[in-house]
Amino acid sequence: MTAIQTFFLQGSVSTLLSSQSSVTSCRKVSLKFTVSCCSATSPLAVVNGNVEKRPSDRTEVRIGLPSKGRMAADSLDLLKDCQLSVRQVNPRQYVAEIPQIPNLEVWFQRPKDIVRKLVAGDLDLGIVGLDTVCEYGQGDEDLIIVHDALEYGDCRLSLAIPKYGIFENVNSMKELAEMPQWTPERPLRVATGFTYMGPKFMKENGLKHVTFSTADGALEAAPAMGIADAIVDLVSSGTTLRENNLKEIEGGVIVQSQAVLVAGRKSLMQRKGALDITHEMLERLEAHLRAEGQFTVTANMRGSSAEEVAERMLSQTSLSGLQGPTISPVFCKRDGRVTADYFAIVICVPKKALYKSVQQLRAIGGSGVLISPLTYIFDEETPRWRQLLSTLGL
């Protein structure tokens, strides 16, 4: 839907006037400009720099997904694992659907555009990195982190300085701020693509004399080329920094980031169906992520009663399961009588403790041990859902 936006810009123009006597004078004239333009975004009124958001009348709920790169592929894989496969009829189109949620549209966008359109109201939900939310959301109260740990896209936004020269013995933000070299005439030069978070971080850490140059790629080369003294950039393993003789310092991590599910507060409160769709997505995500790396262990164990078997199970640290072991009698027919000499036990065990759990189970009489991976673990109620309702005041 096309909307009309009107911008009112108050400014001053200096006009140069020449008299017949060749005397030049300047007269300051105050002008008011009105510019109308068309936009495909939600209606916004911008008056003297103040943005007033007006909700559009669309009925569909929209989620934004990264359009390219590793984050895009991982986002699609996660949704598929949650039985929310994205169906894109034409790979050249930017819009798709998730058949399991009929009223949900999927829009493929650049991560920074996802955040901007969430703020504008053009999208209702989005999956992006936390660093992108912080940089382009700039603390907007309308943005709500619905799920803060989707467990991919791990990285950190960090300040890095050279290992050599005047920085050789500088190993903390405190030491960097106290260096006498930084003056109004010779400020610390920082290269970064994070033009909001970089300056904000420096100010919060007491660095007063800093200038920033905007750059997007190959920032690690900037100090060696003499273009900058330091960089603020995303770091995963740190290998690229080390190979370019750069180092991270204590207190220099601006934000630890990974993929998050984010929503617009106004959308959740006002868009019909948005809160219900968010609830379903949150439950599916939570159930899948909680089950990731968990295994169901089933075994038989001889015992006189379920309580006696439970005592043996709970004496071992890795056999308690989620809330405790499930124990039920195993009935068999012996000498014409139905008896229950064995009990079946079922527990949930994380992958890292799997072999140890099997060893402990055998040690207390377990046999016929069966192991299978878990796909979902649904809680009675998703904790993040309760948190979201609290944030919305519902």
Side-chain angles (χ1 to χ4, degrees):
M1 181 180 68
T2 301
I4 301 297
Q5 300 181 17
T6 302
F7 300 84
F8 299 97
L9 307 178
Q10 187 72 40
S12 297
V13 175
S14 294
T15 58
L16 191 63
L17 303 176
S18 297
S19 66
Q20 290 182 351
S21 60
S22 299
V23 177
T24 302
S25 64
C26 290
R27 184 170 63 191
K28 208 169 189 181
V29 182
S30 181
L31 298 180
K32 188 174 184 180
F33 301 93
T34 301
V35 183
S36 296
C37 65
C38 293
S39 171
T41 62
S42 294
L44 295 177
V46 183
V47 181
N48 293 329
N50 297 319
V51 180
E52 179 186 352
K53 302 169 191 174
R54 298 198 299 267
S56 66
D57 57 359
R58 60 180 168 85
T59 58
E60 301 82 12
V61 177
R62 294 175 177 172
I63 183 171
L65 298 182
S67 56
K68 295 180 181 179
R70 181 65 181 271
M71 183 74 80
D74 288 347
S75 297
L76 292 175
D77 287 343
L78 174 64
L79 292 173
K80 184 178 180 181
D81 289 340
C82 297
Q83 302 300 309
L84 293 173
S85 295
V86 176
R87 186 169 69 185
Q88 191 176 15
V89 178
N90 185 341
R92 293 181 180 271
Q93 291 180 334
Y94 290 104
V95 64
E97 64 177 2
I98 296 177
Q100 292 83 358
I101 307 180
N103 197 42
L104 181 65
E105 288 182 349
V106 177
W107 287 82
F108 294 102
Q109 302 283 298
R110 295 184 302 176
K112 62 182 179 182
D113 290 336
I114 291 176
V115 177
R116 288 168 174 165
K117 289 174 182 178
L118 281 167
V119 172
D122 297 315
L123 294 174
D124 307 303
L125 296 162
I127 294 180
V128 290
L130 179 60
D131 60 286
T132 307
V133 176
C134 295
E135 174 66 17
Y136 296 98
Q138 299 187 2
D140 194 301
E141 293 182 355
D142 194 52
L143 292 176
I144 297 177
I145 305 296
V146 178
H147 198 299
D148 61 350
L150 296 182
E151 298 186 5
Y152 64 93
D154 292 344
C155 62
R156 58 190 178 273
L157 182 62
S158 276
L159 173 79
I161 59 177
K163 296 179 180 179
Y164 49 85
I166 60 173
F167 299 102
E168 185 174 0
N169 297 316
V170 176
N171 296 299
S172 70
M173 285 299 298
K174 184 175 182 296
E175 292 171 352
L176 181 65
E178 291 174 351
M179 291 178 69
Q181 284 86 348
W182 320 130
T183 65
E185 295 75 26
R186 174 59 174 91
L188 175 70
R189 300 168 303 157
V190 180
T192 185
F194 290 82
T195 56
Y196 170 75
M197 295 181 68
K200 182 174 179 287
F201 177 74
M202 291 298 190
K203 183 178 180 181
E204 290 171 349
N205 282 272
L207 281 147
K208 299 178 181 178
H209 308 303
V210 185
T211 59
F212 290 84
S213 58
T214 304
D216 292 323
L219 290 183
E220 293 83 4
M225 295 177 70
I227 299 172
D229 302 305
I231 67 171
V232 169
D233 201 11
L234 293 175
V235 180
S236 295
S237 65
T239 301
T240 305
L241 290 181
R242 291 190 293 272
E243 290 179 348
N244 285 275
N245 289 317
L246 299 177
K247 62 183 178 181
E248 296 176 271
I249 58 177
E250 182 184 344
V253 176
I254 301 172
V255 63
Q256 290 281 356
S257 181
Q258 62 176 301
V260 299
L261 175 65
V262 63
R265 181 187 298 269
K266 288 186 177 65
S267 292
L268 295 180
M269 298 294 288
Q270 300 175 11
R271 180 86 57 210
K272 183 179 179 181
L275 198 57
D276 290 336
I277 287 174
T278 302
H279 187 199
E280 179 176 346
M281 291 194 68
L282 192 53
E283 284 211 311
R284 287 175 179 262
L285 288 167
E286 286 272 74
H288 168 68
L289 292 171
R290 192 174 182 202
E292 191 79 9
Q294 298 280 344
F295 289 81
T296 299
V297 177
T298 306
N300 289 335
M301 189 175 297
R302 188 185 291 274
S304 57
S305 68
E307 290 76 12
E308 186 264 331
V309 172
E311 285 285 348
R312 274 188 277 162
M313 291 285 295
L314 294 173
S315 68
Q316 305 297 317
T317 56
S318 63
L319 300 181
S320 57
L322 293 176
Q323 280 91 26
T326 300
I327 300 171
S328 55
V330 176
F331 295 99
C332 61
K333 200 167 186 178
R334 186 177 294 113
D335 299 329
R337 295 174 54 235
V338 174
T339 61
D341 296 333
Y342 281 86
F343 290 84
I345 59 96
V346 181
I347 56 173
C348 178
V349 176
K351 184 177 182 179
K352 61 183 179 182
L354 188 58
Y355 185 64
K356 180 181 178 181
S357 299
V358 172
Q359 285 181 310
Q360 290 184 350
L361 200 53
R362 286 170 168 173
I364 59 173
S367 63
V369 181
L370 304 177
I371 298 171
S372 56
L374 278 169
T375 306
Y376 304 103
I377 299 175
F378 285 94
D379 281 319
E380 183 178 354
E381 187 177 289
T382 305
R384 283 186 172 89
W385 173 246
R386 293 196 298 270
Q387 182 180 342
L388 176 62
L389 293 180
S390 176
T391 300
L392 294 172
L394 299 176

